[in-house]
Amino acid sequence: QVQLAESGGGSVQAGGSLRLSCAASPNAYSYCMAWFRQGPGKEREGVAGIYTNGGFRRYVDSVKGRFNISRDSAAKTLYLQMDKLRPEDSGVYYCAAVETGVAVDLYARPFRLRAEDFGIWGQGTQVTVFS
């Protein structure tokens, strides 16, 4: 029944790294997948999105150059490599996938990644970055 399952979260000192993984069921490994995060008292924020072939990726400005989203079709797994972590990166990180028939435009400028567009969600994994 679980369609998306995140793992890899934890506590790390500022400047350190973590790699998040999201194991997807066949139906959840959709044409557009993404990572979102949500800190206490904050809105859920789109962090990074990726299309099926893995060749096009978009990131929120605050993580550009530090985070890398990727996907493995054989393993049906989505990844988020996070480097040079900052305390403001802390929060619950969610893996998300769009459902069939829903269009998500990762090419749009400025960057736009809306939680409303994603119908399949994982349970989240906690990331804590301390200084």
Side-chain angles (χ1 to χ4, degrees):
Q1 181 66 28
V2 175
Q3 297 190 79
L4 297 171
E6 303 96 336
S7 62
S11 182
V12 64
Q13 187 170 347
S17 298
L18 287 172
R19 188 175 80 158
L20 307 183
S21 298
C22 173
S25 69
N27 288 340
Y29 194 74
S30 63
Y31 87 96
C32 184
M33 299 182 70
W35 288 97
F36 288 76
R37 66 186 179 189
Q38 187 168 21
K42 299 179 180 179
E43 295 288 327
R44 191 165 297 188
E45 174 188 38
V47 176
I50 187 169
Y51 280 145
T52 303
N53 64 10
F56 186 75
R57 311 163 186 179
R58 294 289 304 279
Y59 303 88
V60 67
D61 286 346
S62 62
V63 309
K64 287 181 180 177
R66 300 188 298 117
F67 289 14
N68 182 50
I69 187 172
S70 61
R71 58 193 290 169
D72 183 329
S73 61
K76 290 185 170 49
T77 302
L78 181 73
Y79 301 96
L80 185 67
Q81 177 67 43
M82 305 184 294
D83 298 321
K84 300 180 179 179
L85 283 161
R86 306 166 180 169
E88 54 263 42
D89 294 320
S90 297
V92 178
Y93 281 68
Y94 297 91
C95 177
V98 70
E99 294 180 298
T100 301
V102 178
V104 176
D105 184 11
L106 294 183
Y107 299 97
R109 301 296 177 91
F111 173 75
R112 181 179 70 248
L113 196 58
R114 305 188 310 170
E116 290 289 314
D117 291 333
F118 293 82
I120 307 172
W121 293 85
Q123 297 78 29
T125 185
Q126 178 70 46
V127 171
T128 302
V129 184
F130 58 91
S131 59

